[in-house]
Amino acid sequence: MSHTSPDPHSQCYHCGLPLPEQELFSTAIEGTERRFCCLGCQSVCKMIHEAGLQGFYERTPDGLLLSPPPEPPKELALFDLDEVQEEFVDSLGEEREIYLLVEGIHCAACIWLIERSLGALPGVLDARVNLAAKRLKVRWDNRTTQLSKIIERLAQVGYAAVPYDPEVAEGTLKRQNRAQLFRLAFAGFAMMNLMWISIALYTGADEGEFRDMFHWIGFVLATPTLFYSGWPFLRGAWSGLRSRHLSMDLPIAIGATTTWAYSLFVTVSGVGHVYFDTVVNFIFVILVGRFLETLSKRSAVSATQRLLDMQPRGAVLLEEGGERVVPIRAVKPGQWVLIRAGDRVPVDGEVVEGRSSVDEAMLSGESLPVAKAPGDSVSAGTVNVDSALTVRVVGTLRNTALGRIIRLVEEAQASKAPIQCTADRIVPWFVVATLTLATLTFLFWLGNDFELALMAATSVLIITCPCAFGLATPMAIAVAAGAGARNGILVKNGEVLERLSGINHVVFDKTGTLTEGRMRITQLVALEGDEARLLTLAAAVERLSEHTIARAITAAAEERGLAFRGLTVSGFVGRPGQGVSALVEGVRLHIGTAAWFAEEGMVLPEALVEAGRRVELEGTGVVYVARDGTPFGLIALADRLRADALALVDHLRSAGVRLTLLSGDRRPVAEAVAAQLGGMQVIAEVLPEQKDAEIRRLQEGGERVAMVGDGINDAPALIRADVGIALGSGADVSADSADIVLISDELARVEQAVRLSRRTLRTIRQNIAISITYNVIMVPLAMAAFITPLVAAISMPISSLLVIGNAARIRRLFRDTRRG
């Protein structure tokens, strides 16, 4: 499209609004003098053309007229201060990332303009707009550009942006709801008054001396209703025509304005019947339907708001002078806060004083409170049950486990599944079909009665709205993402749900996934007979590692009271999947697998080989210990299966899913674990980087693979798999390598995630079927003139409400699971 409206001399060249009678603004654009309604529109238009982004106007808009640019925020330099940014960014490093709430975003063209104008700004590394939430995620190099420059560039192209604050966003939503209610209330007022006029006309007044007076009163009531209450439909239809895009508002706008214009003609000419009541009634009913849709959608996708509600707004800060209640934004890491019994925990932190139990159901799904003592961690949003705790702050707001969960849910709800992209392409053709059917209906009935033809065509225009079709997919995805989050299943985007529903092969990591990951030493073999010395030296090295084996060895040494922490350790080296080495009191120690020892040229004595073989046949892992290149002992470690591992494996097997155990352990150990689970394919003795190749090999064989791991050493395989599922704890929700993060360590969540994906895809298909069935039944009835415009207006939102209600049923999946 071009900027120009049908009358370029009376409308703003940028936004299309009427030009003011008094003050005019004009400037040369591409060699032609153009006129604007305000200085903001003039500046923005000039900036867009100077930046070479005039393609924005060719993509504008999809549902709304452009508005004059909003007022940019004052004192932009404040946003460059680290003290201000730390409330909104993840880290204050050289590269930073922030969410901005952007006022003035209308459509896909706005996304195009914002992303390209910021992309041309030096230092901006990435910019992505979420149209539904009116938010911008921007990543920039703080050494090259400042946040104020980014906000200023947005203002130059017509958008006001501030760092995203849920309370600000909630205020904006309330203003929009209030405007919607005002339009609804006015239409309701007009409808009630017109009802009396209609009763008078239908009972004989249309033949009497007051006929014209009643017609003009109907005109006075219907006209502001159409142009105020019905303005969103008119604006959306006109905007779509300007952009050569047929929007969903077009059929409604045509039906309303045509009926109103015909009634006006009858009022002026005195010939025929007026239908002002029809115009007002169906505008009111459609507004009621849309308002109910808004409430239903908000209820269906309210998981994010419920999570936000878990974040306390304030905290009791402990200072030298005593206690002080402060806003949560004023709390900084390192400070101490007091959490009384019954209060929600406002921050992520570490207990420094007090003992209590904390209800962590919102994070882990664990119904029983968890005991907390000094040194234990607590998470924001959980509830302190028994007694007061003093906590040292580690993270607040966005930098808490709760904040990261909220961010993941919002991103998933804003994403699109492939099936939705197909639906989006169909909607414009849906509108074309509506207009065609309405025209054919009008022409068919025109020979019998003009008024009948008009009413029948208007009914077709109203009843064939494709809103339900457009809602079919996004509603199901939004509800699924929210319901999953409330039950410890974080889905990163809608596409994942569609992929997971088609998985036919699940690959499990062993340690920490099928097993508890809490290893314990079951046997020590020292060729020299000194088991205590063997364990002391091994613990001295392993205390520098975070591996589960390392924790088991150091815990065993501490239980036996061995003095390993006093030994001098240097030159520590870790080899993922192989082992560790270090100098202990000047002696080189190696602790690791038999394969690694062979690579390093260290030959295992026959006695150790035989001892290791016996231990592995029992399903127990083994690490060997060498001193200055000479193996002199082994440590046997056992890891118990998770209590719910067998139930999960049995369920997947009964569903026809192929199973594989992928482990870095020795084959005898991995096979012993597989045997305890009823048997499955075993791929053993693979390093983390080799797991990726094994997943690729399965995919090349035609398998659709889901990988379940711990999200750390399984990262390459999780990324390679069609769907990566990471088991986490409350603080591990940001596993970038996984598509789905399970907040708790319950393996039952894996099966629930698969069921959630299949239920979601089934719901999407049901929603599309509901939309198509509704139109197949109702459109022929409207074309046959069996349905009036008022009945059509009542029927239209019903299809959308059915789709929303069907999507909301996804939440029953978890209620049924809990009852079962």
Side-chain angles (χ1 to χ4, degrees):
M1 68 167 268
S2 66
H3 301 262
T4 56
S5 61
D7 184 3
H9 299 292
S10 63
Q11 292 183 304
C12 175
Y13 183 64
H14 172 70
C15 72
L17 293 178
L19 293 172
E21 295 181 4
Q22 306 294 330
E23 189 175 9
L24 290 177
F25 302 87
S26 63
T27 189
I29 302 292
E30 294 184 340
T32 304
E33 195 71 13
R34 301 296 185 184
R35 305 170 75 189
F36 303 89
C37 66
C38 62
L39 183 61
C41 280
Q42 175 183 311
S43 302
V44 167
C45 183
K46 192 172 181 180
M47 168 65 192
I48 289 172
H49 279 269
E50 288 176 352
L53 297 172
Q54 55 267 37
F56 163 68
Y57 294 103
E58 297 171 4
R59 295 166 170 82
T60 305
D62 185 10
L64 289 173
L65 285 171
L66 292 176
S67 300
E71 187 73 19
K74 302 286 192 288
E75 300 180 354
L76 289 180
L78 287 176
F79 294 121
D80 294 334
L81 299 176
D82 287 350
E83 292 79 5
V84 174
Q85 288 190 19
E86 67 182 354
E87 298 180 10
F88 305 101
V89 302
D90 291 330
S91 67
L92 294 173
E94 295 171 349
E95 289 189 9
R96 302 184 182 185
E97 184 176 280
I98 194 171
Y99 283 86
L100 299 176
L101 184 64
V102 184
E103 184 181 353
I105 295 180
H106 303 104
C107 58
C110 297
I111 297 175
W112 182 89
L113 177 61
I114 290 172
E115 292 181 351
R116 276 158 182 76
S117 59
L118 290 184
L121 191 66
V124 174
L125 306 176
D126 187 38
R128 298 177 185 272
V129 176
N130 182 330
L131 176 60
K134 302 292 190 290
R135 287 207 296 275
L136 165 67
K137 179 181 178 182
V138 61
R139 186 164 55 88
W140 78 99
D141 187 333
N142 204 55
R143 297 167 298 179
T144 306
T145 192
Q146 298 292 317
L147 180 59
S148 61
K149 297 295 182 185
I150 295 172
I151 297 175
E152 184 179 1
R153 171 57 67 91
L154 288 169
Q156 290 172 348
V157 294
Y159 304 93
V162 293
Y164 172 65
D165 184 330
E167 294 180 9
V168 173
E170 187 177 353
T172 302
L173 185 63
K174 286 181 178 178
R175 286 196 299 273
Q176 293 171 349
N177 291 341
R178 189 162 55 247
Q180 189 178 19
L181 277 174
F182 284 158
R183 297 183 193 277
L184 176 60
F186 187 88
F189 167 80
M191 184 190 72
M192 287 185 291
N193 284 277
L194 256 177
M195 180 175 64
W196 299 111
I197 303 296
S198 301
I199 291 173
L201 290 172
Y202 293 149
T203 55
D206 60 334
E207 303 293 339
E209 58 182 310
F210 297 108
R211 175 180 183 275
D212 289 345
M213 181 188 73
F214 283 135
H215 283 185
W216 282 109
I217 293 175
F219 169 78
V220 169
L221 289 171
T223 301
T225 304
L226 174 63
F227 292 101
Y228 171 65
S229 297
W231 176 245
F233 310 118
L234 302 177
R235 179 178 56 192
W238 171 241
S239 176
L241 290 173
R242 289 176 70 227
S243 62
R244 295 174 184 162
H245 177 84
L246 301 179
S247 70
M248 296 179 183
D249 291 324
L250 183 60
I252 299 173
I254 291 175
T257 53
T258 303
T259 306
W260 174 84
Y262 174 73
S263 299
L264 177 59
F265 168 77
V266 170
T267 300
V268 173
S269 66
V271 179
H273 296 89
V274 295
Y275 294 95
F276 289 127
D277 57 335
T278 300
V279 175
V280 172
N281 288 349
F282 82 64
I283 286 179
F284 173 73
V285 171
I286 292 173
L287 286 174
V288 170
R290 291 207 170 178
F291 185 70
L292 290 176
E293 283 181 33
T294 301
L295 294 180
S296 299
K297 283 190 281 189
R298 194 178 310 151
S299 172
V301 300
S302 58
T304 304
Q305 185 58 48
R306 285 193 290 269
L307 289 170
L308 286 171
D309 291 341
M310 292 179 181
Q311 172 62 64
R313 298 288 190 264
V316 180
L317 188 64
L318 296 179
E319 300 176 317
E320 292 183 2
E323 302 174 4
R324 183 164 62 97
V325 178
V326 299
I328 191 62
R329 293 192 181 284
V331 179
K332 302 291 186 293
Q335 294 180 318
W336 288 17
V337 296
L338 176 66
I339 306 168
R340 296 186 175 92
D343 287 351
R344 281 198 181 273
V345 179
V347 299
D348 277 9
E350 179 183 330
V351 177
V352 292
E353 290 181 10
R355 294 177 181 274
S356 183
S357 56
V358 174
D359 181 355
E360 296 184 339
M362 54 78 61
L363 277 182
S364 65
E366 175 59 53
S367 58
L368 297 177
V370 179
K372 298 293 180 181
D376 292 336
S377 62
V378 293
S379 298
T382 56
V383 179
N384 183 19
V385 177
D386 294 330
S387 57
L389 293 174
T390 300
V391 172
R392 181 177 59 82
V393 179
V394 175
T396 63
L397 296 172
R398 288 169 49 84
N399 298 315
T400 63
L402 178 62
R404 290 189 289 272
I405 291 171
I406 292 171
R407 189 160 66 250
L408 284 173
V409 173
E410 289 178 336
E411 290 177 356
Q413 290 182 336
S415 65
K416 288 187 178 183
I419 194 172
Q420 184 179 350
C421 298
T422 303
D424 290 345
R425 287 194 295 270
I426 292 173
V427 166
W429 294 104
F430 211 118
V431 178
V432 172
T434 299
L435 298 176
T436 303
L437 291 174
T439 303
L440 293 174
T441 301
F442 180 79
L443 294 175
F444 177 82
W445 291 107
L446 184 59
N448 294 343
D449 182 4
F450 178 83
E451 291 184 356
L452 178 62
L454 178 63
M455 291 298 101
T458 300
S459 299
V460 173
L461 287 170
I462 297 168
I463 211 163
T464 323
C465 181
C467 298
F469 196 78
L471 286 171
T473 302
M475 277 306 305
I477 290 175
V479 173
R486 291 192 69 201
N487 290 275
I489 302 169
L490 297 183
V491 182
K492 291 194 175 179
N493 59 66
E495 184 181 355
V496 170
L497 289 171
E498 190 167 338
R499 291 203 308 266
L500 182 58
S501 66
I503 291 299
N504 59 13
H505 197 132
V506 175
V507 176
F508 290 100
D509 174 49
K510 182 180 75 69
T511 305
T513 302
L514 291 175
T515 63
E516 293 179 348
R518 292 192 291 270
M519 307 191 85
R520 67 188 190 284
I521 292 178
T522 59
Q523 186 177 352
L524 293 169
V525 176
L527 295 182
E528 300 170 354
D530 192 348
E531 294 180 357
R533 182 60 178 168
L534 170 69
L535 186 57
T536 301
L537 293 174
V541 177
E542 294 287 10
R543 69 186 174 90
L544 301 178
S545 172
E546 290 295 324
H547 197 278
T548 54
I549 290 177
R551 288 196 292 269
I553 291 174
T554 53
E558 286 177 340
E559 286 176 6
R560 301 186 186 195
L562 302 178
F564 65 92
R565 296 189 182 277
L567 299 178
T568 302
V569 181
S570 60
F572 177 85
V573 177
R575 299 287 180 85
Q578 296 178 315
V580 296
S581 69
L583 286 172
V584 181
E585 301 290 344
V587 175
R588 171 61 65 179
L589 234 69
H590 288 78
I591 307 168
T593 65
W596 185 41
F597 275 35
E599 286 182 15
E600 297 293 319
M602 294 179 286
V603 180
L604 291 173
E606 187 60 33
L608 284 183
V609 172
E610 184 58 31
R613 186 180 296 117
R614 287 196 307 270
V615 169
E616 288 176 343
L617 288 175
E618 299 171 0
T620 302
V622 174
V623 292
Y624 297 91
V625 185
R627 182 175 50 207
D628 285 335
T630 302
F632 73 102
L634 67 77
I635 302 174
L637 302 107
D639 189 8
R640 288 185 302 182
L641 278 176
R642 292 187 185 275
D644 51 358
L646 181 58
L648 171 64
V649 169
D650 284 346
H651 177 86
L652 293 175
R653 188 183 290 116
S654 64
V657 177
R658 287 179 286 280
L659 304 172
T660 294
L661 178 62
L662 186 62
S663 175
D665 272 349
R666 298 268 293 168
R667 175 165 289 277
V669 176
E671 288 180 340
V673 171
Q676 293 178 58
L677 294 170
M680 65 177 76
Q681 179 184 359
V682 173
I683 303 174
E685 301 180 43
V686 290
L687 299 176
E689 57 269 24
Q690 294 172 328
K691 292 182 179 181
D692 168 75
E694 293 295 337
I695 297 292
R696 184 172 62 247
R697 182 180 61 78
L698 290 173
Q699 291 171 326
E700 289 171 351
E703 302 289 285
R704 295 187 298 276
V705 181
M707 170 72 188
V708 185
D710 60 14
I712 303 171
N713 62 346
D714 296 314
L718 288 169
I719 294 171
R720 171 68 62 183
D722 295 284
V723 177
I725 302 175
L727 268 70
S729 61
D732 231 349
V733 298
S734 59
D736 294 332
S737 53
D739 300 303
I740 296 176
V741 178
L742 307 181
I743 300 176
S744 71
D745 289 332
E746 297 176 33
L747 280 175
R749 302 293 187 198
V750 175
E751 185 260 335
Q752 288 180 355
V754 174
R755 290 175 58 199
L756 176 65
S757 68
R758 291 176 176 172
R759 173 73 68 87
T760 303
L761 204 64
R762 185 167 71 247
T763 300
I764 290 172
R765 289 168 177 154
Q766 289 171 349
N767 285 347
I768 292 173
I770 288 171
S771 175
I772 293 173
T773 302
Y774 161 81
N775 283 284
V776 166
I777 295 172
M778 300 302 289
V779 172
L781 292 176
M783 294 180 70
F786 291 143
I787 294 177
T788 65
L790 180 58
V791 173
I794 295 171
S795 302
M796 185 193 71
I798 290 177
S799 62
S800 296
L801 292 174
L802 285 173
V803 164
I804 294 168
N806 190 48
R809 290 174 60 242
I810 292 174
R811 292 180 297 195
R812 293 176 55 188
L813 171 71
F814 296 98
R815 289 201 292 269
D816 294 344
T817 300
R818 283 193 288 270
R819 282 198 294 267

